[in-house]
Amino acid sequence: MAKQGPRHAGRTLFHEVFGSAPDVGASAPGRVNLLGEHTDYNGGPVLPIALDRRTVVHARAARSFRFASALEPGVVERRMDEGPHGHWTDYLVGVVRQLVAMGCDIPGADLSVASDVPAGAGLSSSAALTVGAAAALAQLARRRLAPAQLVEVAWRAESEYVGVRCGRMDQTIAVFGRRGMALALETATGQRRMVPFPGSVRLLDSGLRHALVAGEYGHRRIECEEALRRCRRFMPELATLADVPPTALARIGRLLPRTLGRRVRHVVTETTRVREGVDALRRGRRTRFGELLYAGHASLRRDFESSCEEADAIVALARKSGATGARLTGAGWGGVVIILAPERSSNAVVERIQAGFARRFGRIPQVWESRAGGGVRIER
Ligand code: GLA
């Protein structure tokens, strides 16, 4: 599939499985977050780019719902009136149910999925799937959805039906991504600004996979909610955790339980880092931007405690190997480390990191390269 690309693979798959050409098609990208981790459900800013890797969804009208993926043989038939099965097709059922709730007429669909977004690596293959599916199925129902509606359908499918209490960062960048641009999104207001992000990033896989639904992610959200409740006792005007002024951190450190105090410190310092990062990118200050990534990682490791040994090792090796910046990206507890390095030396930097990692962990971590790519689009 890698050679042909998911667009071609998707059409071929549809033909093979369903015996005809699809009526409609759409695709959406995975994402990597440059800065602003665990801020999107705390009212803070985020700074993701869309990957130049995409998930392609093809569909045609049918009487029932049958789903096929390039990753497994056969088709899966699903009913829309059942609860989630813990299967990847839950994301599609979630999307159909949201579209129907909005008044779209979708009595059934044959639908195929092909993708070159690595699944489960923290690159948001799930938002690529829900956004791509929402765009394809809306087209099938002859319904024009505004971009913000697409975000909402995809986000609700994941948070309400699949049951992952995620923020809106992944769905927003999958819809609004632009080539060569990062998206500065203020999650409290929904304000979006595009910031030039030329060049490419390297993504090193820690090899560890996280269980988002039941795991630590949900636990951190509960801690953040509890921290906000406690902060409001002496700052009743506080709307979100990201609104805590940095000058209040010392007091919070004294008044809140230690762990909660650290969670707040991460959210508050990360909020500042994103704003400084946007400024650094606008001024072309790559070195400064890289330092903010390193600082962001230290904060995830120490204060949010969402890192892992493998990611910490990659970041330490990155610094030693001359990378401009490095940071664990996405939900955490595994997944991918983003590496920034000058274009001319990035191959050498990555090789040095891989060699150091192999010496310690006995395996060579996988690496992907990506530029900032475009958001959702219709595929003819
Ligand atoms: C996951 C969620 C996002 C965001 C990140 C952490 O990717 O889907 O909404 O919370 O974790 O920044």
Side-chain angles (χ1 to χ4, degrees):
M1 191 206 308
K3 249 190 243 147
Q4 296 181 329
R7 192 164 157 228
H8 188 269
R11 281 192 83 86
T12 311
L13 172 72
F14 192 95
H15 223 283
E16 274 168 19
V17 176
F18 299 115
S20 80
D23 296 339
V24 296
S27 71
R31 65 98 186 90
V32 63
N33 191 17
L34 300 176
L35 262 180
E37 220 63 82
H38 296 280
T39 46
D40 69 343
Y41 54 86
N42 284 305
V46 291
L47 187 61
I49 58 172
L51 296 180
D52 52 14
R53 293 171 162 264
R54 311 178 70 83
T55 295
V56 184
V57 177
H58 287 104
R60 82 175 170 204
R63 288 215 196 109
S64 61
F65 289 92
R66 297 190 300 168
F67 303 139
S69 157
L71 293 179
E72 62 181 37
V75 296
V76 180
E77 189 149 0
R78 291 290 304 260
R79 293 169 50 126
M80 296 303 113
D81 56 1
E82 290 175 343
H85 288 189
H87 189 252
W88 69 270
T89 53
D90 288 347
Y91 291 94
L92 299 175
V93 177
V95 167
V96 172
R97 287 167 64 115
Q98 283 303 324
L99 289 170
V100 169
M102 287 175 66
C104 288
D105 181 26
I106 314 176
D110 290 335
L111 184 152
S112 73
V113 178
S115 180
D116 61 1
V117 182
L123 297 173
S124 203
S125 53
S126 58
L129 176 58
T130 51
V131 169
L137 289 168
Q139 213 188 332
L140 202 62
R142 296 178 201 286
R143 179 76 180 262
R144 279 190 92 91
L145 293 187
Q149 286 179 301
L150 269 183
V151 172
E152 206 56 23
V153 166
W155 178 75
R156 281 175 189 270
E158 187 153 353
S159 57
E160 287 173 16
Y161 184 75
V162 182
V164 185
R165 290 190 67 210
C166 53
R168 283 179 173 77
M169 164 170 73
D170 305 344
Q171 297 77 14
T172 308
I173 184 68
V175 169
F176 289 102
R178 254 173 60 199
R179 265 173 80 173
M181 296 279 178
L183 168 69
L185 170 69
E186 288 290 343
T187 62
T189 59
Q191 187 204 53
R192 285 176 277 109
R193 281 177 306 158
M194 302 312 293
V195 188
F197 189 77
S200 65
V201 297
R202 302 301 174 101
L203 306 165
L204 246 88
D205 190 359
S206 71
L208 259 72
R209 296 293 177 257
H210 52 244
L212 252 185
V213 183
E216 298 285 352
Y217 184 85
H219 188 64
R220 286 297 177 280
R221 286 203 64 151
I222 293 169
E223 287 179 332
C224 288
E225 283 157 12
E226 176 61 19
L228 178 60
R229 258 193 303 277
R230 287 177 185 247
C231 289
R232 276 184 180 145
R233 289 186 193 155
F234 50 95
M235 292 184 279
E237 72 290 351
L238 214 56
T240 68
L241 221 45
D243 283 338
V244 169
T247 48
L249 283 178
R251 189 166 172 216
I252 287 170
R254 285 194 305 274
L255 295 178
L256 262 61
R258 237 178 115 196
T259 307
L260 293 189
R262 289 205 204 119
R263 307 295 187 249
V264 179
R265 190 164 61 188
H266 167 73
V267 172
V268 172
T269 57
E270 185 77 348
T271 293
T272 305
R273 277 187 291 273
V274 179
R275 303 215 167 109
E276 287 183 9
V278 169
D279 186 61
L281 281 186
R282 284 198 193 286
R283 293 167 191 258
R285 293 192 177 153
R286 282 274 170 158
T287 310
R288 172 70 189 139
F289 189 69
E291 278 307 322
L292 291 164
L293 261 67
Y294 282 127
H297 185 80
S299 179
L300 289 173
R301 176 169 55 75
R302 262 195 339 250
D303 285 344
F304 214 69
E305 296 178 278
S306 57
S307 187
C308 60
E309 200 190 335
E310 287 80 353
D312 294 345
I314 293 173
V315 172
L317 285 162
R319 211 191 252 282
K320 260 187 21 203
S321 308
T324 325
R327 186 179 81 76
L328 178 62
T329 178
W333 299 282
V336 157
V337 174
I338 176 173
I339 312 276
L340 293 186
E343 211 77 51
R344 61 178 189 288
S345 63
S346 50
N347 282 342
V349 166
V350 166
E351 278 163 25
R352 279 200 288 272
I353 301 171
Q354 284 179 309
F357 188 95
R359 274 196 297 277
R360 178 155 160 202
F361 295 98
R363 58 185 169 86
I364 298 175
Q366 203 178 347
V367 55
W368 297 286
E369 183 178 0
S370 186
R371 291 174 175 274
V376 66
R377 64 170 181 245
I378 298 302
E379 300 286 354
R380 302 279 165 212

mmCIF file of all heavy atoms in Angstrom, residues 237-257:
data_model
loop_
_atom_site.group_PDB
_atom_site.id
_atom_site.type_symbol
_atom_site.label_atom_id
_atom_site.label_comp_id
_atom_site.label_asym_id
_atom_site.label_seq_id
_atom_site.Cartn_x
_atom_site.Cartn_y
_atom_site.Cartn_z
ATOM 1 N N GLU A 237 -13.376 33.163 40.180
ATOM 2 C CA GLU A 237 -13.638 33.645 38.820
ATOM 3 C C GLU A 237 -13.039 32.733 37.747
ATOM 4 O O GLU A 237 -13.270 32.922 36.554
ATOM 5 C CB GLU A 237 -13.099 35.077 38.666
ATOM 6 C CG GLU A 237 -11.576 35.231 38.617
ATOM 7 C CD GLU A 237 -10.870 34.945 39.961
ATOM 8 O OE1 GLU A 237 -11.563 34.780 40.989
ATOM 9 O OE2 GLU A 237 -9.634 34.869 39.977
ATOM 10 N N LEU A 238 -12.283 31.729 38.168
ATOM 11 C CA LEU A 238 -11.548 30.871 37.230
ATOM 12 C C LEU A 238 -12.490 30.079 36.310
ATOM 13 O O LEU A 238 -13.321 29.321 36.782
ATOM 14 C CB LEU A 238 -10.717 29.881 38.059
ATOM 15 C CG LEU A 238 -9.365 29.464 37.516
ATOM 16 C CD1 LEU A 238 -8.483 30.677 37.263
ATOM 17 C CD2 LEU A 238 -8.710 28.524 38.522
ATOM 18 N N ALA A 239 -12.345 30.266 34.982
ATOM 19 C CA ALA A 239 -13.200 29.515 34.047
ATOM 20 C C ALA A 239 -12.594 28.153 33.728
ATOM 21 O O ALA A 239 -13.291 27.146 33.671
ATOM 22 C CB ALA A 239 -13.413 30.321 32.776
ATOM 23 N N THR A 240 -11.287 28.115 33.492
ATOM 24 C CA THR A 240 -10.606 26.853 33.157
ATOM 25 C C THR A 240 -9.251 26.825 33.861
ATOM 26 O O THR A 240 -8.768 27.868 34.325
ATOM 27 C CB THR A 240 -10.337 26.735 31.641
ATOM 28 O OG1 THR A 240 -9.355 27.718 31.275
ATOM 29 C CG2 THR A 240 -11.593 26.935 30.807
ATOM 30 N N LEU A 241 -8.633 25.650 33.856
ATOM 31 C CA LEU A 241 -7.316 25.522 34.493
ATOM 32 C C LEU A 241 -6.259 26.355 33.747
ATOM 33 O O LEU A 241 -5.334 26.878 34.354
ATOM 34 C CB LEU A 241 -6.917 24.041 34.495
ATOM 35 C CG LEU A 241 -6.246 23.489 35.745
ATOM 36 C CD1 LEU A 241 -6.938 23.920 37.017
ATOM 37 C CD2 LEU A 241 -6.179 21.969 35.653
ATOM 38 N N ALA A 242 -6.421 26.459 32.421
ATOM 39 C CA ALA A 242 -5.447 27.220 31.633
ATOM 40 C C ALA A 242 -5.495 28.714 31.963
ATOM 41 O O ALA A 242 -4.575 29.459 31.629
ATOM 42 C CB ALA A 242 -5.693 27.002 30.144
ATOM 43 N N ASP A 243 -6.574 29.157 32.641
ATOM 44 C CA ASP A 243 -6.682 30.567 33.024
ATOM 45 C C ASP A 243 -5.913 30.904 34.294
ATOM 46 O O ASP A 243 -5.829 32.077 34.672
ATOM 47 C CB ASP A 243 -8.161 30.925 33.269
ATOM 48 C CG ASP A 243 -8.911 31.103 31.977
ATOM 49 O OD1 ASP A 243 -8.247 31.366 30.947
ATOM 50 O OD2 ASP A 243 -10.148 30.965 31.981
ATOM 51 N N VAL A 244 -5.404 29.901 34.981
ATOM 52 C CA VAL A 244 -4.636 30.177 36.206
ATOM 53 C C VAL A 244 -3.430 31.031 35.838
ATOM 54 O O VAL A 244 -2.643 30.640 34.960
ATOM 55 C CB VAL A 244 -4.164 28.858 36.866
ATOM 56 C CG1 VAL A 244 -3.149 29.137 37.979
ATOM 57 C CG2 VAL A 244 -5.349 28.060 37.391
ATOM 58 N N PRO A 245 -3.271 32.208 36.470
ATOM 59 C CA PRO A 245 -2.090 33.017 36.129
ATOM 60 C C PRO A 245 -0.826 32.357 36.676
ATOM 61 O O PRO A 245 -0.849 31.812 37.785
ATOM 62 C CB PRO A 245 -2.361 34.354 36.832
ATOM 63 C CG PRO A 245 -3.410 34.082 37.845
ATOM 64 C CD PRO A 245 -4.148 32.847 37.445
ATOM 65 N N PRO A 246 0.276 32.388 35.914
ATOM 66 C CA PRO A 246 1.523 31.766 36.381
ATOM 67 C C PRO A 246 1.938 32.269 37.769
ATOM 68 O O PRO A 246 2.528 31.528 38.548
ATOM 69 C CB PRO A 246 2.539 32.175 35.313
ATOM 70 C CG PRO A 246 1.720 32.386 34.076
ATOM 71 C CD PRO A 246 0.395 32.905 34.539
ATOM 72 N N THR A 247 1.589 33.508 38.088
ATOM 73 C CA THR A 247 1.972 34.071 39.396
ATOM 74 C C THR A 247 1.239 33.368 40.550
ATOM 75 O O THR A 247 1.635 33.514 41.703
ATOM 76 C CB THR A 247 1.621 35.573 39.459
ATOM 77 O OG1 THR A 247 0.268 35.725 39.003
ATOM 78 C CG2 THR A 247 2.547 36.402 38.595
ATOM 79 N N ALA A 248 0.162 32.627 40.249
ATOM 80 C CA ALA A 248 -0.586 31.947 41.321
ATOM 81 C C ALA A 248 -0.029 30.553 41.620
ATOM 82 O O ALA A 248 -0.498 29.873 42.542
ATOM 83 C CB ALA A 248 -2.060 31.850 40.939
ATOM 84 N N LEU A 249 0.980 30.119 40.841
ATOM 85 C CA LEU A 249 1.442 28.731 40.979
ATOM 86 C C LEU A 249 2.062 28.431 42.349
ATOM 87 O O LEU A 249 1.861 27.345 42.902
ATOM 88 C CB LEU A 249 2.437 28.386 39.862
ATOM 89 C CG LEU A 249 1.791 28.110 38.494
ATOM 90 C CD1 LEU A 249 2.863 27.823 37.442
ATOM 91 C CD2 LEU A 249 0.811 26.936 38.580
ATOM 92 N N ALA A 250 2.778 29.405 42.892
ATOM 93 C CA ALA A 250 3.429 29.170 44.188
ATOM 94 C C ALA A 250 2.361 28.905 45.252
ATOM 95 O O ALA A 250 2.449 27.952 46.033
ATOM 96 C CB ALA A 250 4.292 30.367 44.561
ATOM 97 N N ARG A 251 1.312 29.726 45.226
ATOM 98 C CA ARG A 251 0.223 29.579 46.201
ATOM 99 C C ARG A 251 -0.492 28.236 46.018
ATOM 100 O O ARG A 251 -0.799 27.542 46.981
ATOM 101 C CB ARG A 251 -0.758 30.734 45.976
ATOM 102 C CG ARG A 251 -1.803 30.822 47.038
ATOM 103 C CD ARG A 251 -2.503 32.164 46.956
ATOM 104 N NE ARG A 251 -3.630 32.188 47.859
ATOM 105 C CZ ARG A 251 -4.775 32.805 47.610
ATOM 106 N NH1 ARG A 251 -4.936 33.452 46.458
ATOM 107 N NH2 ARG A 251 -5.747 32.793 48.491
ATOM 108 N N ILE A 252 -0.717 27.882 44.744
ATOM 109 C CA ILE A 252 -1.371 26.603 44.448
ATOM 110 C C ILE A 252 -0.527 25.438 44.960
ATOM 111 O O ILE A 252 -1.039 24.474 45.533
ATOM 112 C CB ILE A 252 -1.650 26.488 42.935
ATOM 113 C CG1 ILE A 252 -2.801 27.419 42.578
ATOM 114 C CG2 ILE A 252 -1.955 25.055 42.509
ATOM 115 C CD1 ILE A 252 -3.040 27.594 41.113
ATOM 116 N N GLY A 253 0.780 25.580 44.812
ATOM 117 C CA GLY A 253 1.703 24.561 45.308
ATOM 118 C C GLY A 253 1.550 24.352 46.809
ATOM 119 O O GLY A 253 1.704 23.237 47.311
ATOM 120 N N ARG A 254 1.241 25.437 47.529
ATOM 121 C CA ARG A 254 1.077 25.317 48.988
ATOM 122 C C ARG A 254 -0.296 24.771 49.354
ATOM 123 O O ARG A 254 -0.444 24.032 50.312
ATOM 124 C CB ARG A 254 1.267 26.690 49.643
ATOM 125 C CG ARG A 254 2.712 27.157 49.720
ATOM 126 C CD ARG A 254 2.864 28.351 50.670
ATOM 127 N NE ARG A 254 1.988 29.469 50.323
ATOM 128 C CZ ARG A 254 2.306 30.424 49.441
ATOM 129 N NH1 ARG A 254 3.473 30.380 48.814
ATOM 130 N NH2 ARG A 254 1.478 31.406 49.192
ATOM 131 N N LEU A 255 -1.325 25.149 48.585
ATOM 132 C CA LEU A 255 -2.700 24.856 49.009
ATOM 133 C C LEU A 255 -3.272 23.544 48.469
ATOM 134 O O LEU A 255 -4.185 22.974 49.059
ATOM 135 C CB LEU A 255 -3.627 26.011 48.607
ATOM 136 C CG LEU A 255 -3.336 27.332 49.322
ATOM 137 C CD1 LEU A 255 -4.264 28.429 48.823
ATOM 138 C CD2 LEU A 255 -3.486 27.182 50.840
ATOM 139 N N LEU A 256 -2.770 23.071 47.337
ATOM 140 C CA LEU A 256 -3.332 21.843 46.748
ATOM 141 C C LEU A 256 -2.472 20.633 47.111
ATOM 142 O O LEU A 256 -1.273 20.791 47.355
ATOM 143 C CB LEU A 256 -3.398 21.970 45.219
ATOM 144 C CG LEU A 256 -4.761 22.378 44.640
ATOM 145 C CD1 LEU A 256 -5.178 23.735 45.143
ATOM 146 C CD2 LEU A 256 -4.726 22.371 43.118
ATOM 147 N N PRO A 257 -3.066 19.435 47.142
ATOM 148 C CA PRO A 257 -2.239 18.237 47.299
ATOM 149 C C PRO A 257 -1.135 18.238 46.244
ATOM 150 O O PRO A 257 -1.343 18.742 45.129
ATOM 151 C CB PRO A 257 -3.221 17.087 47.060
ATOM 152 C CG PRO A 257 -4.569 17.658 47.308
ATOM 153 C CD PRO A 257 -4.493 19.117 46.969
#
